[in-house]
Amino acid sequence: MLQESFDNVSTQLLSLYALHKYLSGNPQLTWVLEKNLGASLLLAGMHQENTVGYSSQLYGNTLLGVVELSRGLRAVYTQMPLIWKPGYFHRALNVMEKVSQMPGEIKITKDVIELLKSALESAILSEKEKVPSENDEVSEDTSMCPEDLEKTEAEMLPEYLTRFQELHEKLESLGKIETTDLLNLTTHLVLEKLPECEKPDIEKYEAQLKEWQSDEAGLIAREKEIREKLKIEYEAREAAKSSAQ
C-alpha cells in the first residue's frame, strides 16, 4: 500500500478492508507500523465520501498523531506523501468537526472515536509522568522568534481533549455516531460497491498494460535498430581502416 496511488475505487475499498481487518486483531504496533498504517488509512479514506472514509481518516490521523508526539514530526513525513506541518491530533479533531457540520447520513464510528479518546488521554498521562531535566528549562533568550514561542503538540494536549469532548457531545446529539464497528461497515461497503467498480477498474488496468507492452515492444525495436546501425557504422570504419593500411 505504500506504493498505491488509490486512484481506483476498487483499490481504495480493498486497501481499507485489508487495513481494518489487520487492525481488528489488535496487533502490537511499532511506531513505523503506526506511521505506515496511519498514512494508508488517511490517504485511502480521503477518497471515500462516506462513514467508512471519514472514520478511516480519523483513525489515520490518530495513529500519525501518536507517532508525531512520540517520535517527532520528521518521523511522520519522511518518505511519506504527507503534510509537513505539525498537528495530526488537531486534524483528527477537524474530521470530527467536519462530519458534525455535514448534512446527510455520514457518521463517525464509535470504536474510532474511543481510539482517539484513549490516545489523547494516554498521551496526557505520559507527558505528566515525564521527569523534567535541566535541558527542559525555559530559555530566557528574548531574541526567540514568535514561531519558537508557539505551543508544542504536547502542550496542546489538554486543549485537544477538551475540544474532543465538545465534538463528541455534538456528534452524539446529532445522531452522528455509528455504533457498528468499522470493520463490519467496511466489509459491507466492499460487498456492496466492489462488484460495480471492479470490472471497469480491471478493464482500465488491462488497457494500461497493453499500452505498456506496446511501449516496451517499441523501445526494444528501437534499441535493435540503433544496435544494427552502430554495428554497420563500426564495420564500415573497420573496413576503411583496413583499406587505408
Side-chain angles (χ1 to χ4, degrees):
M1 262 170 272
L2 295 175
Q3 300 178 36
E4 289 291 359
S5 62
F6 299 116
D7 291 332
N8 297 329
V9 177
S10 58
T11 300
Q12 300 161 18
L13 295 175
L14 292 172
S15 296
L16 288 171
Y17 173 76
L19 289 162
H20 292 307
K21 182 69 174 177
Y22 175 71
L23 287 165
S24 68
N26 296 316
Q28 293 296 316
L29 301 180
T30 63
W31 73 267
V32 175
L33 268 176
E34 285 181 323
K35 177 180 78 167
N36 292 345
L37 291 165
S40 297
L41 283 167
L42 175 59
L43 296 173
M46 288 172 68
H47 292 277
Q48 290 290 314
E49 289 288 326
N50 47 45
T51 297
V52 169
Y54 282 97
S55 298
S56 297
Q57 289 180 52
L58 181 59
Y59 203 150
N61 275 314
T62 298
L63 290 177
L64 293 172
V66 171
V67 176
E68 179 185 2
L69 196 65
S70 63
R71 311 291 301 193
L73 181 62
R74 181 177 293 277
V76 174
Y77 69 72
T78 298
Q79 298 181 337
M80 282 289 170
L82 296 171
I83 190 167
W84 292 13
K85 293 182 180 179
Y88 279 93
F89 277 138
H90 175 71
R91 293 182 190 101
L93 294 169
N94 285 348
V95 173
M96 292 179 67
E97 183 169 16
K98 184 175 181 180
V99 170
S100 73
Q101 297 171 349
M102 295 175 70
E105 297 300 316
I106 294 178
K107 304 177 182 180
I108 298 292
T109 60
K110 183 179 179 180
D111 54 348
V112 179
I113 290 176
E114 291 297 321
L115 179 79
L116 175 56
K117 178 184 178 183
S118 177
L120 289 171
E121 289 176 342
S122 296
I124 290 173
L125 182 61
S126 177
E127 289 300 315
K128 286 180 178 179
E129 290 176 349
K130 286 183 179 178
V131 179
S133 66
E134 294 179 359
N135 295 328
D136 294 330
E137 293 180 1
V138 178
S139 172
E140 297 295 331
D141 186 359
T142 56
S143 65
M144 291 176 68
C145 298
E147 296 81 19
D148 298 327
L149 298 175
E150 292 181 357
K151 288 185 177 180
T152 65
E153 281 299 291
E155 292 170 327
M156 289 292 292
L157 287 172
E159 294 179 32
Y160 288 161
L161 185 58
T162 299
R163 187 181 173 208
F164 166 83
Q165 292 165 342
E166 294 170 351
L167 289 169
H168 187 192
E169 291 176 3
K170 185 176 181 180
L171 288 169
E172 200 167 33
S173 67
L174 293 170
K176 283 187 166 289
I177 296 180
E178 175 58 61
T179 55
T180 304
D181 65 80
L182 188 48
L183 174 60
N184 281 329
L185 280 182
T186 306
T187 302
H188 178 76
L189 183 66
V190 169
L191 292 173
E192 178 187 3
K193 299 293 185 182
L194 191 60
E196 66 185 53
C197 67
E198 193 172 28
K199 185 177 179 181
D201 283 351
I202 290 174
E203 290 173 350
K204 179 182 175 183
Y205 173 76
E206 289 175 342
Q208 288 178 333
L209 187 59
K210 288 179 180 178
E211 185 179 342
W212 295 336
Q213 290 171 338
S214 176
D215 289 344
E216 182 185 29
L219 289 170
I220 291 173
R222 178 60 176 159
E223 182 182 12
K224 185 176 180 181
E225 289 176 11
I226 293 173
R227 287 180 179 276
E228 288 295 327
K229 182 179 179 181
L230 291 173
K231 181 180 178 182
I232 292 170
E233 290 176 354
Y234 173 76
E235 291 174 347
R237 287 196 300 270
E238 291 299 307
K241 287 180 183 180
S242 298
S243 299
Q245 292 174 354

